[in-house]
Amino acid sequence: MIVSVASGKGGTGKTTLAVNLAAALGRKAQLLDCDVEEPNAHLFLRPEISHSRKVGTPVPLVDADRCTLCRKCAEICRFNAIAVAGRQVLVFADLCHGCGGCTLVCPEQAIAEVDRELGAIDFGTCAGPDYVGGRLRVGEAMAPPLIKQVRAAADPRRITVVDAPPGTSCPVIAAMHGADFVLLVTEPTPFGLHDLRLAVEAVRLLGIPAGLAVNRADLGDDAVFAYAEQQGLPLLMRIPFDRAIAEAYSRGQLLVDADPCWRGQFQALYRAIETLVRQGGAVPCANS
């Protein structure tokens, strides 16, 4: 089972849901922190990092002596990562998506591939779930290849909880792709509703069953709940606006440890997700 915890905007409590769900499941679970630009799940799980691995992406290296300036490499690149200027081939490594198309079409075999470092993946253990987290290199813009590597490091024998990046752009799609279920997290505010709509559209495109968790559920208005009902999006958890919860969060303490009653609630949340997946529920985001 792969459960991706996502949100249309930052600050809704996505990581809170992800780490507590994984902790409530204990040793049979693993947490993948795919929010590689701002990873923070480790602050709550406090894993002992056993090892790290650098991750790179292939970029072209042009042999000027063999190149005939035919421009086929530049014509195939949809991201303008390689260009011919006068008698010179220019490579813009930061724009390269590592597809390898330029190496395939070069008639002179003048293009080889070298690795460009994207970041690193940390592997760790703690009292509960195993931990795998990605760290994007400072200044790097290409998050999806690193997220895919974090996803590939998952242990298929365990329940996988993915802490996805916020938003609805390419990194989020990479974190949600191939999941069995997406748990969308939002807050009952106009901003929360606006970005929930965007997240629902993304899940609809991927065709993945989804459910909703509402954080700070007793604030704001009822528009989020009305939208969820309209879309057939099952409401699986409400977390109240509570000072004790905020204090635990500020200390980096798991909610399931600060108040043991929450452990049972997160375990019940997983059972509800498991039931929805087992029943083969349709994507709960049908057009209204």
Side-chain angles (χ1 to χ4, degrees):
M1 176 75 80
I2 302 173
V3 179
S4 184
V5 184
S7 63
K9 66 183 289 291
T12 60
K14 170 181 56 63
T15 296
T16 297
L17 266 291
V19 296
N20 280 282
L21 177 59
L25 296 173
R27 292 299 304 156
K28 62 183 179 181
Q30 59 186 340
L31 189 286
L32 306 186
D33 193 345
C34 289
D35 190 359
V36 297
E37 294 182 67
E38 293 287 346
N40 63 347
H42 63 284
L43 300 176
F44 298 92
L45 295 176
R46 298 189 176 99
E48 181 178 343
I49 303 300
S50 59
H51 64 285
S52 299
R53 172 167 59 86
K54 290 185 178 180
V55 174
T57 187
V59 296
L61 178 66
V62 180
D63 184 344
D65 293 333
R66 302 182 67 171
C67 178
T68 60
L69 302 173
C70 69
R71 298 178 180 269
K72 290 185 177 181
C73 57
E75 291 169 359
I76 198 174
C77 184
R78 298 282 75 91
F79 300 99
N80 300 314
I82 190 167
V84 178
R87 303 293 301 173
Q88 188 177 11
V89 178
L90 304 178
V91 175
F92 304 97
D94 289 342
L95 299 178
C96 179
H97 283 56
C99 71
C102 56
T103 64
L104 292 175
V105 300
C106 179
E108 306 300 329
Q109 296 184 331
I111 302 177
E113 290 183 331
V114 294
D115 252 7
R116 178 172 67 85
E117 184 180 341
L118 293 175
I121 302 177
D122 299 324
F123 299 82
T125 57
C126 53
D130 281 352
Y131 170 84
V132 181
R135 291 181 288 110
L136 195 67
R137 180 177 60 84
V138 174
E140 176 58 54
M142 202 71 67
L146 177 57
I147 291 173
K148 291 176 182 177
Q149 289 293 315
V150 175
R151 288 288 307 274
D155 183 348
R157 299 167 298 179
R158 294 176 180 263
I159 300 167
T160 300
V161 179
V162 178
D163 184 9
T168 54
S169 59
C170 293
V172 184
I173 300 301
M176 293 194 300
H177 182 73
D180 298 297
F181 193 87
V182 175
L183 180 63
L184 295 171
V185 185
T186 192
E187 58 191 13
T189 65
F191 287 117
L193 175 59
H194 175 272
D195 292 332
L196 175 62
R197 291 179 185 272
L198 298 178
V200 164
E201 290 294 332
V203 174
R204 178 184 296 158
L205 288 172
L206 293 174
I208 305 173
L212 180 65
V214 181
N215 192 24
R216 299 182 283 272
D218 45 356
L219 292 179
D221 54 40
D222 295 330
V224 161
F225 302 101
Y227 171 75
E229 184 176 358
Q230 177 193 30
Q231 292 292 315
L233 190 66
L235 178 60
L236 301 180
M237 177 171 273
R238 294 173 182 246
I239 298 179
F241 182 64
D242 184 276
R243 183 182 180 88
I245 294 175
E247 288 179 350
Y249 179 87
S250 68
R251 293 192 297 266
Q253 186 178 16
L254 290 167
L255 186 54
V256 296
D257 292 336
D259 186 347
C261 76
W262 280 103
R263 185 173 295 272
Q265 294 195 45
F266 276 95
Q267 290 170 346
L269 168 63
Y270 178 74
R271 289 194 297 271
I273 291 172
E274 198 174 36
T275 298
L276 288 170
V277 173
R278 187 168 56 244
Q279 291 175 345
V283 179
C285 307
N287 288 313
S288 57

